[in-house]
Amino acid sequence: MSDGTTPMDALSEDEFEKLVIAELDALPDDMVDGLENLIFVTEARPENGSLDALGLYDGIALTERDRYGFGELPDRIILYREPLLAMCADLTELRDQIHITLVHEIAHFYGIDDDQLHELGWS
């Protein structure tokens, strides 16, 4: 487009959230069945305003929990809309990147670090 915008700029927050839910629903059952006390949220950008981070796992990985239980605030997986939109040229690419980001952040929930994810081809 001549005004410097891309078709992805027109994607609303609600449409983005629906894409995230659809990709979450498409993940294999064995990946999501063990997710307890965890919520998924979308935000425009990370707190620092950067477009570098696509997502964040905010919590205590299963491998690091000892006295974690009832009454604990839920862990969160956050997907950042603006950075994801900025890196994707179309909806197909956006869906793929949402999927990859969800898998990456869920892996952190299970205690898999960035080095292991890189070895597995997910980072």
PDB file of all heavy atoms in Angstrom, residues 18-44:
ATOM      1  N   LYS A  18      -8.634 -14.092  18.113  1.00  0.00           N
ATOM      2  CA  LYS A  18      -9.296 -15.271  17.520  1.00  0.00           C
ATOM      3  C   LYS A  18      -8.287 -16.176  16.824  1.00  0.00           C
ATOM      4  O   LYS A  18      -8.403 -17.404  16.898  1.00  0.00           O
ATOM      5  CB  LYS A  18     -10.395 -14.841  16.553  1.00  0.00           C
ATOM      6  CG  LYS A  18     -11.614 -14.289  17.262  1.00  0.00           C
ATOM      7  CD  LYS A  18     -12.661 -13.798  16.280  1.00  0.00           C
ATOM      8  CE  LYS A  18     -13.826 -13.166  17.042  1.00  0.00           C
ATOM      9  NZ  LYS A  18     -14.800 -12.551  16.159  1.00  0.00           N
ATOM     10  N   LEU A  19      -7.299 -15.582  16.157  1.00  0.00           N
ATOM     11  CA  LEU A  19      -6.245 -16.385  15.526  1.00  0.00           C
ATOM     12  C   LEU A  19      -5.438 -17.144  16.575  1.00  0.00           C
ATOM     13  O   LEU A  19      -5.101 -18.323  16.388  1.00  0.00           O
ATOM     14  CB  LEU A  19      -5.303 -15.507  14.701  1.00  0.00           C
ATOM     15  CG  LEU A  19      -5.829 -14.963  13.383  1.00  0.00           C
ATOM     16  CD1 LEU A  19      -4.816 -14.011  12.769  1.00  0.00           C
ATOM     17  CD2 LEU A  19      -6.162 -16.082  12.421  1.00  0.00           C
ATOM     18  N   VAL A  20      -5.125 -16.484  17.684  1.00  0.00           N
ATOM     19  CA  VAL A  20      -4.370 -17.138  18.761  1.00  0.00           C
ATOM     20  C   VAL A  20      -5.182 -18.307  19.319  1.00  0.00           C
ATOM     21  O   VAL A  20      -4.642 -19.402  19.505  1.00  0.00           O
ATOM     22  CB  VAL A  20      -4.000 -16.129  19.873  1.00  0.00           C
ATOM     23  CG1 VAL A  20      -3.423 -16.847  21.089  1.00  0.00           C
ATOM     24  CG2 VAL A  20      -3.017 -15.087  19.337  1.00  0.00           C
ATOM     25  N   ILE A  21      -6.461 -18.110  19.558  1.00  0.00           N
ATOM     26  CA  ILE A  21      -7.313 -19.178  20.094  1.00  0.00           C
ATOM     27  C   ILE A  21      -7.380 -20.343  19.113  1.00  0.00           C
ATOM     28  O   ILE A  21      -7.277 -21.508  19.508  1.00  0.00           O
ATOM     29  CB  ILE A  21      -8.718 -18.633  20.425  1.00  0.00           C
ATOM     30  CG1 ILE A  21      -8.633 -17.677  21.617  1.00  0.00           C
ATOM     31  CG2 ILE A  21      -9.693 -19.770  20.706  1.00  0.00           C
ATOM     32  CD1 ILE A  21      -9.894 -16.855  21.848  1.00  0.00           C
ATOM     33  N   ALA A  22      -7.526 -20.038  17.831  1.00  0.00           N
ATOM     34  CA  ALA A  22      -7.588 -21.097  16.818  1.00  0.00           C
ATOM     35  C   ALA A  22      -6.292 -21.901  16.779  1.00  0.00           C
ATOM     36  O   ALA A  22      -6.315 -23.136  16.695  1.00  0.00           O
ATOM     37  CB  ALA A  22      -7.892 -20.498  15.443  1.00  0.00           C
ATOM     38  N   GLU A  23      -5.150 -21.221  16.860  1.00  0.00           N
ATOM     39  CA  GLU A  23      -3.869 -21.926  16.851  1.00  0.00           C
ATOM     40  C   GLU A  23      -3.667 -22.721  18.139  1.00  0.00           C
ATOM     41  O   GLU A  23      -3.108 -23.812  18.112  1.00  0.00           O
ATOM     42  CB  GLU A  23      -2.710 -20.958  16.619  1.00  0.00           C
ATOM     43  CG  GLU A  23      -2.626 -20.436  15.203  1.00  0.00           C
ATOM     44  CD  GLU A  23      -2.551 -21.530  14.148  1.00  0.00           C
ATOM     45  OE1 GLU A  23      -1.793 -22.507  14.332  1.00  0.00           O
ATOM     46  OE2 GLU A  23      -3.257 -21.406  13.138  1.00  0.00           O
ATOM     47  N   LEU A  24      -4.123 -22.192  19.243  1.00  0.00           N
ATOM     48  CA  LEU A  24      -4.049 -22.924  20.511  1.00  0.00           C
ATOM     49  C   LEU A  24      -4.905 -24.191  20.438  1.00  0.00           C
ATOM     50  O   LEU A  24      -4.466 -25.276  20.846  1.00  0.00           O
ATOM     51  CB  LEU A  24      -4.495 -22.020  21.658  1.00  0.00           C
ATOM     52  CG  LEU A  24      -4.377 -22.562  23.073  1.00  0.00           C
ATOM     53  CD1 LEU A  24      -2.951 -22.976  23.386  1.00  0.00           C
ATOM     54  CD2 LEU A  24      -4.865 -21.518  24.067  1.00  0.00           C
ATOM     55  N   ASP A  25      -6.092 -24.078  19.878  1.00  0.00           N
ATOM     56  CA  ASP A  25      -6.978 -25.237  19.727  1.00  0.00           C
ATOM     57  C   ASP A  25      -6.395 -26.290  18.783  1.00  0.00           C
ATOM     58  O   ASP A  25      -6.702 -27.472  18.908  1.00  0.00           O
ATOM     59  CB  ASP A  25      -8.351 -24.806  19.213  1.00  0.00           C
ATOM     60  CG  ASP A  25      -9.180 -24.075  20.256  1.00  0.00           C
ATOM     61  OD1 ASP A  25      -8.846 -24.149  21.462  1.00  0.00           O
ATOM     62  OD2 ASP A  25     -10.170 -23.418  19.866  1.00  0.00           O
ATOM     63  N   ALA A  26      -5.552 -25.852  17.846  1.00  0.00           N
ATOM     64  CA  ALA A  26      -4.961 -26.772  16.869  1.00  0.00           C
ATOM     65  C   ALA A  26      -3.737 -27.519  17.399  1.00  0.00           C
ATOM     66  O   ALA A  26      -3.264 -28.456  16.764  1.00  0.00           O
ATOM     67  CB  ALA A  26      -4.592 -26.011  15.598  1.00  0.00           C
ATOM     68  N   LEU A  27      -3.225 -27.115  18.560  1.00  0.00           N
ATOM     69  CA  LEU A  27      -2.051 -27.790  19.114  1.00  0.00           C
ATOM     70  C   LEU A  27      -2.405 -29.209  19.549  1.00  0.00           C
ATOM     71  O   LEU A  27      -3.544 -29.479  19.936  1.00  0.00           O
ATOM     72  CB  LEU A  27      -1.497 -27.005  20.313  1.00  0.00           C
ATOM     73  CG  LEU A  27      -0.890 -25.641  19.992  1.00  0.00           C
ATOM     74  CD1 LEU A  27      -0.522 -24.917  21.286  1.00  0.00           C
ATOM     75  CD2 LEU A  27       0.322 -25.779  19.090  1.00  0.00           C
ATOM     76  N   PRO A  28      -1.441 -30.117  19.502  1.00  0.00           N
ATOM     77  CA  PRO A  28      -1.704 -31.509  19.888  1.00  0.00           C
ATOM     78  C   PRO A  28      -2.155 -31.618  21.353  1.00  0.00           C
ATOM     79  O   PRO A  28      -1.661 -30.889  22.219  1.00  0.00           O
ATOM     80  CB  PRO A  28      -0.352 -32.207  19.709  1.00  0.00           C
ATOM     81  CG  PRO A  28       0.490 -31.278  18.911  1.00  0.00           C
ATOM     82  CD  PRO A  28      -0.056 -29.910  19.089  1.00  0.00           C
ATOM     83  N   ASP A  29      -3.081 -32.534  21.606  1.00  0.00           N
ATOM     84  CA  ASP A  29      -3.604 -32.725  22.963  1.00  0.00           C
ATOM     85  C   ASP A  29      -2.499 -33.014  23.966  1.00  0.00           C
ATOM     86  O   ASP A  29      -2.536 -32.520  25.094  1.00  0.00           O
ATOM     87  CB  ASP A  29      -4.629 -33.868  22.997  1.00  0.00           C
ATOM     88  CG  ASP A  29      -5.929 -33.492  22.308  1.00  0.00           C
ATOM     89  OD1 ASP A  29      -6.177 -32.285  22.106  1.00  0.00           O
ATOM     90  OD2 ASP A  29      -6.699 -34.415  21.971  1.00  0.00           O
ATOM     91  N   ASP A  30      -1.501 -33.820  23.576  1.00  0.00           N
ATOM     92  CA  ASP A  30      -0.448 -34.164  24.539  1.00  0.00           C
ATOM     93  C   ASP A  30       0.403 -32.961  24.924  1.00  0.00           C
ATOM     94  O   ASP A  30       1.065 -32.973  25.954  1.00  0.00           O
ATOM     95  CB  ASP A  30       0.415 -35.325  24.058  1.00  0.00           C
ATOM     96  CG  ASP A  30       1.115 -35.065  22.732  1.00  0.00           C
ATOM     97  OD1 ASP A  30       0.777 -34.078  22.044  1.00  0.00           O
ATOM     98  OD2 ASP A  30       2.005 -35.860  22.374  1.00  0.00           O
ATOM     99  N   MET A  31       0.352 -31.892  24.136  1.00  0.00           N
ATOM    100  CA  MET A  31       1.086 -30.676  24.477  1.00  0.00           C
ATOM    101  C   MET A  31       0.293 -29.813  25.460  1.00  0.00           C
ATOM    102  O   MET A  31       0.866 -29.186  26.339  1.00  0.00           O
ATOM    103  CB  MET A  31       1.397 -29.864  23.223  1.00  0.00           C
ATOM    104  CG  MET A  31       2.190 -28.594  23.512  1.00  0.00           C
ATOM    105  SD  MET A  31       2.530 -27.620  22.033  1.00  0.00           S
ATOM    106  CE  MET A  31       3.683 -28.700  21.200  1.00  0.00           C
ATOM    107  N   VAL A  32      -1.017 -29.789  25.324  1.00  0.00           N
ATOM    108  CA  VAL A  32      -1.823 -28.871  26.129  1.00  0.00           C
ATOM    109  C   VAL A  32      -2.529 -29.533  27.317  1.00  0.00           C
ATOM    110  O   VAL A  32      -2.969 -28.837  28.223  1.00  0.00           O
ATOM    111  CB  VAL A  32      -2.855 -28.111  25.258  1.00  0.00           C
ATOM    112  CG1 VAL A  32      -2.154 -27.219  24.264  1.00  0.00           C
ATOM    113  CG2 VAL A  32      -3.801 -29.056  24.568  1.00  0.00           C
ATOM    114  N   ASP A  33      -2.608 -30.851  27.340  1.00  0.00           N
ATOM    115  CA  ASP A  33      -3.323 -31.526  28.427  1.00  0.00           C
ATOM    116  C   ASP A  33      -2.707 -31.277  29.795  1.00  0.00           C
ATOM    117  O   ASP A  33      -3.408 -31.261  30.789  1.00  0.00           O
ATOM    118  CB  ASP A  33      -3.419 -33.034  28.168  1.00  0.00           C
ATOM    119  CG  ASP A  33      -4.479 -33.377  27.127  1.00  0.00           C
ATOM    120  OD1 ASP A  33      -5.295 -32.488  26.791  1.00  0.00           O
ATOM    121  OD2 ASP A  33      -4.483 -34.523  26.648  1.00  0.00           O
ATOM    122  N   GLY A  34      -1.401 -31.072  29.873  1.00  0.00           N
ATOM    123  CA  GLY A  34      -0.735 -30.870  31.157  1.00  0.00           C
ATOM    124  C   GLY A  34      -0.668 -29.416  31.609  1.00  0.00           C
ATOM    125  O   GLY A  34      -0.073 -29.116  32.632  1.00  0.00           O
ATOM    126  N   LEU A  35      -1.277 -28.519  30.857  1.00  0.00           N
ATOM    127  CA  LEU A  35      -1.224 -27.103  31.191  1.00  0.00           C
ATOM    128  C   LEU A  35      -2.237 -26.800  32.288  1.00  0.00           C
ATOM    129  O   LEU A  35      -3.433 -26.811  32.054  1.00  0.00           O
ATOM    130  CB  LEU A  35      -1.503 -26.233  29.955  1.00  0.00           C
ATOM    131  CG  LEU A  35      -0.567 -26.426  28.774  1.00  0.00           C
ATOM    132  CD1 LEU A  35      -1.007 -25.560  27.602  1.00  0.00           C
ATOM    133  CD2 LEU A  35       0.866 -26.127  29.159  1.00  0.00           C
ATOM    134  N   GLU A  36      -1.734 -26.550  33.488  1.00  0.00           N
ATOM    135  CA  GLU A  36      -2.601 -26.253  34.618  1.00  0.00           C
ATOM    136  C   GLU A  36      -2.221 -24.912  35.213  1.00  0.00           C
ATOM    137  O   GLU A  36      -1.047 -24.547  35.261  1.00  0.00           O
ATOM    138  CB  GLU A  36      -2.469 -27.339  35.684  1.00  0.00           C
ATOM    139  CG  GLU A  36      -2.951 -28.695  35.226  1.00  0.00           C
ATOM    140  CD  GLU A  36      -2.788 -29.755  36.295  1.00  0.00           C
ATOM    141  OE1 GLU A  36      -2.292 -29.442  37.395  1.00  0.00           O
ATOM    142  OE2 GLU A  36      -3.153 -30.896  36.026  1.00  0.00           O
ATOM    143  N   ASN A  37      -3.222 -24.196  35.693  1.00  0.00           N
ATOM    144  CA  ASN A  37      -3.033 -22.894  36.321  1.00  0.00           C
ATOM    145  C   ASN A  37      -2.228 -21.968  35.408  1.00  0.00           C
ATOM    146  O   ASN A  37      -1.253 -21.339  35.813  1.00  0.00           O
ATOM    147  CB  ASN A  37      -2.370 -23.029  37.695  1.00  0.00           C
ATOM    148  CG  ASN A  37      -2.673 -21.846  38.585  1.00  0.00           C
ATOM    149  OD1 ASN A  37      -3.735 -21.253  38.500  1.00  0.00           O
ATOM    150  ND2 ASN A  37      -1.737 -21.491  39.441  1.00  0.00           N
ATOM    151  N   LEU A  38      -2.657 -21.923  34.142  1.00  0.00           N
ATOM    152  CA  LEU A  38      -1.979 -21.153  33.105  1.00  0.00           C
ATOM    153  C   LEU A  38      -3.033 -20.451  32.269  1.00  0.00           C
ATOM    154  O   LEU A  38      -4.028 -21.065  31.881  1.00  0.00           O
ATOM    155  CB  LEU A  38      -1.149 -22.088  32.221  1.00  0.00           C
ATOM    156  CG  LEU A  38      -0.461 -21.476  31.015  1.00  0.00           C
ATOM    157  CD1 LEU A  38       0.692 -20.572  31.443  1.00  0.00           C
ATOM    158  CD2 LEU A  38       0.052 -22.572  30.095  1.00  0.00           C
ATOM    159  N   ILE A  39      -2.812 -19.167  32.002  1.00  0.00           N
ATOM    160  CA  ILE A  39      -3.714 -18.437  31.120  1.00  0.00           C
ATOM    161  C   ILE A  39      -2.931 -17.911  29.919  1.00  0.00           C
ATOM    162  O   ILE A  39      -1.725 -17.700  29.999  1.00  0.00           O
ATOM    163  CB  ILE A  39      -4.433 -17.274  31.845  1.00  0.00           C
ATOM    164  CG1 ILE A  39      -3.436 -16.266  32.418  1.00  0.00           C
ATOM    165  CG2 ILE A  39      -5.366 -17.801  32.922  1.00  0.00           C
ATOM    166  CD1 ILE A  39      -4.070 -15.004  32.976  1.00  0.00           C
ATOM    167  N   PHE A  40      -3.638 -17.735  28.834  1.00  0.00           N
ATOM    168  CA  PHE A  40      -3.071 -17.176  27.613  1.00  0.00           C
ATOM    169  C   PHE A  40      -3.674 -15.794  27.420  1.00  0.00           C
ATOM    170  O   PHE A  40      -4.894 -15.638  27.493  1.00  0.00           O
ATOM    171  CB  PHE A  40      -3.393 -18.062  26.407  1.00  0.00           C
ATOM    172  CG  PHE A  40      -2.697 -19.381  26.446  1.00  0.00           C
ATOM    173  CD1 PHE A  40      -3.219 -20.439  27.166  1.00  0.00           C
ATOM    174  CD2 PHE A  40      -1.504 -19.567  25.767  1.00  0.00           C
ATOM    175  CE1 PHE A  40      -2.574 -21.658  27.216  1.00  0.00           C
ATOM    176  CE2 PHE A  40      -0.847 -20.789  25.809  1.00  0.00           C
ATOM    177  CZ  PHE A  40      -1.385 -21.828  26.531  1.00  0.00           C
ATOM    178  N   VAL A  41      -2.819 -14.816  27.181  1.00  0.00           N
ATOM    179  CA  VAL A  41      -3.283 -13.449  26.960  1.00  0.00           C
ATOM    180  C   VAL A  41      -2.551 -12.854  25.766  1.00  0.00           C
ATOM    181  O   VAL A  41      -1.481 -13.330  25.377  1.00  0.00           O
ATOM    182  CB  VAL A  41      -3.082 -12.551  28.206  1.00  0.00           C
ATOM    183  CG1 VAL A  41      -3.898 -13.046  29.382  1.00  0.00           C
ATOM    184  CG2 VAL A  41      -1.630 -12.455  28.592  1.00  0.00           C
ATOM    185  N   THR A  42      -3.174 -11.825  25.201  1.00  0.00           N
ATOM    186  CA  THR A  42      -2.506 -11.067  24.144  1.00  0.00           C
ATOM    187  C   THR A  42      -2.354  -9.633  24.633  1.00  0.00           C
ATOM    188  O   THR A  42      -3.204  -9.109  25.346  1.00  0.00           O
ATOM    189  CB  THR A  42      -3.301 -11.100  22.823  1.00  0.00           C
ATOM    190  OG1 THR A  42      -4.573 -10.494  23.011  1.00  0.00           O
ATOM    191  CG2 THR A  42      -3.471 -12.528  22.330  1.00  0.00           C
ATOM    192  N   GLU A  43      -1.243  -9.043  24.262  1.00  0.00           N
ATOM    193  CA  GLU A  43      -0.970  -7.641  24.570  1.00  0.00           C
ATOM    194  C   GLU A  43      -0.373  -7.003  23.321  1.00  0.00           C
ATOM    195  O   GLU A  43       0.162  -7.699  22.456  1.00  0.00           O
ATOM    196  CB  GLU A  43       0.006  -7.514  25.740  1.00  0.00           C
ATOM    197  CG  GLU A  43      -0.563  -8.010  27.057  1.00  0.00           C
ATOM    198  CD  GLU A  43       0.391  -7.865  28.229  1.00  0.00           C
ATOM    199  OE1 GLU A  43       1.518  -7.342  28.053  1.00  0.00           O
ATOM    200  OE2 GLU A  43       0.014  -8.297  29.327  1.00  0.00           O
ATOM    201  N   ALA A  44      -0.464  -5.688  23.257  1.00  0.00           N
ATOM    202  CA  ALA A  44       0.046  -4.981  22.079  1.00  0.00           C
ATOM    203  C   ALA A  44       1.554  -5.164  21.928  1.00  0.00           C
ATOM    204  O   ALA A  44       2.038  -5.564  20.873  1.00  0.00           O
ATOM    205  CB  ALA A  44      -0.304  -3.498  22.152  1.00  0.00           C
TER     206      ALA A  44
END
